[in-house]
Amino acid sequence: MAQAQPLVSGGAYLFPLLMLGWFVAGNQHFSLQGMLNSRIPGGWLLLGAVGQVVFLLRFVYQWIYSERKGESVLPLNFWVVSLVGSVLILVYAVLRVDAVLILGNVFGTVVYARNIVLLRKEVKPVQPVKSPTQ
C-alpha cells in the first residue's frame, strides 16, 4: 500500500498537466484554438475560464489543507472558494443562456452558501472567563 502512494501523488500532479497539454495541442473536438475561434465573445470566455479555475482551486486548497492537518477536512474557505467559482460560472451561464450550466451550478451554489452559514455559526467568539472576584 505504501508503494502506491508515490504513484497516486505523482499521477495527481501529472494528470492535470497532461490534460492541459492535450487541450493546447488539441484535436477536432477539444482544443484551445477551437475555443478561441468560437463565436462566444472573448470576455465571456474569460469569465467562464476564470470561474472554472477558481472552482478547481477549491480542490487544490482542500488538498493542501488536509495534507497539513493530516486528515481529510473541508475548511470554511473551501466553501467560500466553491461559492465564488460557482457564482462566476453561473454568471457566465446566464450570459450564454446555457440551461445546462445554470442547472448544473445553481443547486451547488445553494449548498456552498448554506455550508458557509453553518460553519460561521460554529465559529463563535470566545468569551473571557470572569473570575469570582469580578
Side-chain angles (χ1 to χ4, degrees):
M1 192 73 146
Q3 293 174 333
Q5 186 174 5
L7 223 52
V8 171
S9 293
Y13 288 110
L14 189 59
F15 182 73
L17 295 174
L18 290 173
M19 292 305 295
L20 184 60
W22 182 37
F23 181 62
V24 171
N27 64 37
Q28 67 185 37
H29 303 293
F30 182 72
S31 73
L32 176 62
Q33 197 63 21
M35 184 182 84
L36 294 175
N37 291 332
S38 72
R39 291 184 280 179
I40 302 169
W44 291 11
L45 282 175
L46 182 62
L47 174 67
V50 168
Q52 289 290 7
V53 168
V54 170
F55 205 65
L56 170 69
L57 287 176
R58 71 194 182 123
F59 291 111
V60 174
Y61 175 78
Q62 190 273 335
W63 182 14
I64 292 169
Y65 190 91
S66 292
E67 287 292 336
R68 288 183 179 163
K69 290 281 189 180
E71 62 184 359
S72 181
V73 290
L74 294 173
L76 174 64
N77 286 338
F78 173 85
W79 299 111
V80 171
V81 173
S82 298
L83 181 64
V84 170
S86 186
V87 167
L88 288 171
I89 293 168
L90 272 174
V91 170
Y92 172 75
V94 168
L95 290 172
R96 288 204 49 210
V97 190
D98 188 326
V100 173
L101 275 178
I102 292 169
L103 288 174
N105 281 282
V106 74
F107 297 111
T109 302
V110 171
V111 171
Y112 309 143
R114 181 64 181 146
N115 276 295
I116 290 169
V117 169
L118 291 172
L119 285 170
R120 299 273 301 164
K121 283 182 181 179
E122 287 180 17
V123 181
K124 294 181 181 175
V126 177
Q127 298 294 326
V129 177
K130 292 184 179 179
S131 67
T133 59
Q134 290 181 339

